């Protein structure tokens, strides 16, 4: 038997410059029960959120404006990890 995930207790940040793709991810997470889903289209906006708010999971596209998804996630690897942070 697999464990069920309570998506309502997880905060998500969707970073995607394509509004339709971001909406699909948002709708899917909402369908699964997520209540705290933030969407931004630019890495700079995401960095602003990450500096001030606790985010558990980041969902990002591969090709962001000015950098790729791995470059965007690189600071996650260099920052001290919080107890609940999940960075790929």
């Amino acid at each position: 038997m697999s464990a069920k995930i309570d998506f309502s207790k997880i905060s998500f940040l969707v970073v995607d410059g394509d509004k339709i793709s971001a909406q699909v991810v948002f709708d899917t997470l909402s369908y699964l029960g997520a209540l705290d889903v933030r969407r931004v289209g630019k890495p700079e906006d995401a960095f602003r959120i990450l500096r001030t708010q606790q985010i558990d999971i980041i969902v990002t596209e591969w090709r962001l404006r000015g950098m790729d998804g791995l470059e965007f996630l690189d600071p996650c690897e260099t920052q001290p990890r919080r107890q609940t942070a999940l960075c790929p």
Side-chain angles (χ1 to χ4, degrees):
M1 175 187 265
S2 62
K4 292 190 179 191
I5 298 171
D6 185 355
F7 283 85
S8 69
K9 295 181 179 181
I10 301 171
S11 62
F12 294 89
L13 175 61
V14 179
V15 186
D16 196 326
D18 183 294
K19 291 181 181 181
I20 294 172
S21 296
Q23 187 65 46
V24 168
V25 174
F26 177 85
D27 291 345
T28 302
L29 291 169
S30 295
Y31 176 79
L32 293 170
L35 301 175
D36 186 3
V37 183
R38 295 174 186 90
R39 292 175 285 182
V40 296
K42 296 185 270 185
E44 302 82 32
D45 297 333
F47 289 133
R48 260 191 295 283
I49 289 173
L50 291 169
R51 278 193 291 272
T52 61
Q53 300 175 33
Q54 171 82 26
I55 299 294
D56 297 314
I57 297 178
I58 301 167
V59 179
T60 183
E61 69 174 313
W62 180 255
R63 294 185 182 124
L64 294 167
R65 293 179 197 148
M67 66 178 64
D68 67 39
L70 291 177
E71 289 173 313
F72 170 74
L73 291 174
D74 191 50
C76 288
E77 295 300 317
T78 60
Q79 297 296 319
R81 292 185 185 259
R82 294 182 300 248
Q83 188 80 10
T84 60
L86 299 175
C87 285

